[in-house]
Amino acid sequence: MSMKAVAKCVSKWYLIYYITGRKTDRKGMVITMAKVRTRFAPSPTGRMHVGNLRTALYAYLIAKHEDGDFLLRIEDTDQERFYEGALDIIYRTMEKTGLQHDEGPDKDGGVGPYVQSERQAQGIYMKYAKMLVDKGEAYYCFCDKERLESLKQTVVGEDGDSKEIVVYDKHCLNLSREEVEANLAAGKPFVIRQNNPKEGTTTFHDELYGDVTVPNEELDDMILIKSDGFPTYNFANVVDDHLMGITHVVRGNEYISSSPKYTRLYEAFGWEEPKYVHCPLITDENHKKLSKRSGHASFEDLIEQGFVTEAVVNYVALLGWSPEDNQEIFSLEELVKVFDYHRIGKSPAVFDINKLKWMNGEYLKAMDDDKFFELARPYIQEVIKKDLDLRKIAALVKTRIEVLPDIAGHIDFFEELPEYDTAMYTHKKMKTNSENSLEILKEMLPMLENIDDYSVDNLHDRIMEFVADKGIKNGLALWPLRTAVSGKQMTPGGAFEIMEILGKEESLARIRKGIEMLERESGN
């Protein structure tokens, strides 16, 4: 071998090791794994489901916890389900959640393309499918639609629902080489199927479930290459995971049943399998699989419902995974430090919308005031049309809400005094009733009319002077005052904060209206 050829081989070996973290022998076979590499491989079919977001998050955390690489790969092999704009949704969601990929369609790491349709156009999948055909591990199938229809069987799933599936009978496996070549030459439509044995067992290892063994008779000869020339998801992800040096594959446990067929593919190629992490099912509060009908199945659904990104990411991390202590609030950076995928459970994780609301409220309370105002302003402006201090209104509701749409119900009285019953002036604990409330408001009114400074501090000082002079409890004065200026029993903030925002003119108008209502009731 010439020195130039030796240099080329060494260069290729180093490139494989540098990109994938895998050492190889002279034939390019993997012999060790050095660097953790995970991937998120969504299909561009619409909004990102909570389950997909969890898969992306766990894959990201596994990689980053070990200072590894996190890849984004677009699996668009099912062209019929392609959704216009879905790629933008994927990129936007990844950016908003902070799950920044190290390699992907927009960040070439040397093992691209990172879009399967582009890889298919390069003939990658057909190349490896034909490699399996040559080994006898796969075969061409020319069966038409009518024949496949005749092979349908009805099966009952674990959920009790029945469905029809095709159990292929290996008919085309018995075609001679001459028959296959003649059919190909004639342009007869075909698929390429995996050739699985019907005897013995296949075992794969999952990091959570341990060794899983299935009888080979349960493995169908799944399609690897479809009649349109595109690979199936099941085949493409095996080829791509190997070529991209993926060390840990994170996915939902609905793929456990397919994993033995993946193992058979790895064995057929002579490739080392990655580590599998099959995550538990996510259900709704009724223990049904989380679906679009639930109204909060996608990341964008939740954002539109007023949840903040950080809270959603935090909550999704806890859907199946539990930390060593009882801590529940984690930043993404904190999750990277503490995440141990061995603590992912196997039982279904319940998506509790009320728990998410509580967590979201905690994030809103802890949020920087300026950031909260920017989030809250559109919701405040939907209600408040008057020239009021929106920042002060936002400050009042910040600790009172769980999701941003809750704001409206807390602030509507600022825009217009609601109709209310004078019975609201009666409060047992404050020892107020209609009679003494009327008396207090009438006595406070002249003092309030003579105040020009309606700041919280000045209002507090002057009204507390009034309370002291009268020798009464605070509540006896403040309950009627707050009721008059708000018309509500529950408000964000007390009378001083409300009057400061309303201003002198509006505050006095509302107090006078309260006096009028109480006088009418008393007959005066």
Side-chain angles (χ1 to χ4, degrees), residues 141-404:
C141 174
F142 301 92
C143 291
D144 57 25
K145 184 177 179 180
E146 289 71 26
R147 184 172 192 283
L148 295 176
E149 285 286 335
S150 70
L151 298 175
K152 280 187 175 180
Q153 297 181 13
T154 300
V155 296
V156 179
E158 294 181 0
D159 55 4
D161 293 336
S162 60
K163 60 181 179 180
E164 288 188 329
I165 63 170
V166 173
V167 180
Y168 192 66
D169 59 359
K170 290 182 177 290
H171 173 75
C172 289
L173 176 64
N174 300 316
L175 296 178
S176 67
R177 178 183 293 273
E178 291 74 21
E179 289 176 297
V180 170
E181 291 178 351
N183 286 336
L184 293 175
K188 190 171 183 179
F190 68 88
V191 299
I192 295 180
R193 291 182 179 274
Q194 183 179 17
N195 182 18
N196 283 318
K198 290 303 178 184
E199 298 179 352
T201 60
T202 296
T203 299
F204 75 93
H205 181 79
D206 178 82
E207 294 295 291
L208 307 179
Y209 292 84
D211 287 340
V212 179
T213 301
V214 299
N216 287 336
E217 63 183 2
E218 296 180 5
L219 306 182
D220 64 310
D221 285 2
M222 68 175 180
I223 294 174
L224 307 181
I225 301 294
K226 297 179 290 186
S227 58
D228 61 3
F230 275 81
T232 58
Y233 164 84
N234 292 316
F235 183 54
N237 85 79
V238 168
V239 173
D240 290 343
D241 285 346
H242 173 75
L243 296 180
M244 294 181 177
I246 301 303
T247 63
H248 294 68
V249 171
V250 182
R251 56 189 175 215
N253 65 7
E254 65 267 26
Y255 289 103
I256 285 181
S257 60
S258 299
S259 294
K261 288 178 280 190
Y262 303 153
T263 294
R264 288 271 308 126
L265 288 173
Y266 279 103
E267 290 175 349
F269 281 120
W271 296 341
E272 182 177 357
E273 276 191 278
K275 292 183 177 181
Y276 293 121
V277 181
H278 287 94
C279 304
L281 179 71
I282 300 177
T283 71
D284 60 19
E285 295 91 335
N286 299 315
H287 302 288
K288 300 292 185 180
K289 185 176 180 180
L290 196 65
S291 67
K292 293 181 180 180
R293 291 188 298 274
S294 68
H296 45 253
S298 80
F299 171 75
E300 291 197 340
D301 289 337
L302 295 172
I303 299 304
E304 289 173 358
Q305 290 169 28
F307 293 93
V308 296
T309 298
E310 296 85 352
V312 173
V313 171
N314 188 160
Y315 183 70
V316 168
L318 300 176
L319 289 175
W321 172 81
S322 59
E324 290 187 1
D325 54 24
N326 293 322
Q327 182 177 344
E328 292 185 293
I329 305 298
F330 293 93
S331 66
L332 184 60
E333 293 74 19
E334 290 170 330
L335 285 170
V336 168
K337 291 179 182 178
V338 304
F339 191 80
D340 177 359
Y341 67 81
H342 296 97
R343 295 189 62 83
I344 298 173
K346 292 181 282 189
S347 300
V350 177
F351 188 98
D352 184 344
I353 193 68
N354 292 319
K355 180 65 176 289
L356 175 56
K357 285 181 177 180
W358 165 82
M359 183 172 287
N360 199 71
E362 294 301 302
Y363 270 87
L364 293 177
K365 291 174 187 175
M367 191 175 288
D368 172 84
D369 289 342
D370 289 338
K371 181 178 180 181
F372 176 78
F373 177 65
E374 289 305 311
L375 291 175
R377 178 162 50 184
Y379 295 89
I380 297 174
Q381 290 176 329
E382 284 185 5
V383 178
I384 304 300
K385 307 302 179 183
K386 294 180 178 178
D387 184 19
L388 301 178
D389 192 325
L390 302 188
R391 281 188 175 274
K392 289 180 178 178
I393 293 175
L396 287 187
V397 299
K398 183 181 177 185
T399 61
R400 301 296 187 104
I401 63 171
E402 291 186 323
V403 290
L404 294 168

Side-chain angles (χ1 to χ4, degrees), residues 82-143:
F82 182 84
Y83 176 84
E84 193 68 35
L87 287 175
D88 291 335
I89 292 175
I90 292 169
Y91 284 119
R92 185 167 62 243
T93 302
M94 300 290 281
E95 182 178 2
K96 287 193 68 173
T97 55
L99 306 183
Q100 295 300 308
H101 52 281
D102 301 291
E103 299 175 27
D106 56 338
K107 297 179 182 179
D108 187 8
V111 292
Y114 295 84
V115 178
Q116 286 187 335
S117 58
E118 296 177 17
R119 297 174 69 79
Q120 187 268 346
Q122 292 184 359
I124 291 174
Y125 306 114
M126 186 62 75
K127 168 188 171 183
Y128 283 94
K130 288 181 177 179
M131 191 181 299
L132 291 179
V133 171
D134 292 341
K135 290 185 172 187
E137 298 287 352
Y139 58 94
Y140 290 94
C141 174
F142 301 92
C143 291

Side-chain angles (χ1 to χ4, degrees), residues 42-46 74-88 90 115 117 230:
S43 298
T45 57
I74 304 301
E75 299 199 341
D76 60 345
T77 57
D78 192 343
Q79 295 288 291
E80 292 182 358
R81 296 180 63 215
F82 182 84
Y83 176 84
E84 193 68 35
L87 287 175
D88 291 335
I90 292 169
V115 178
S117 58
F230 275 81

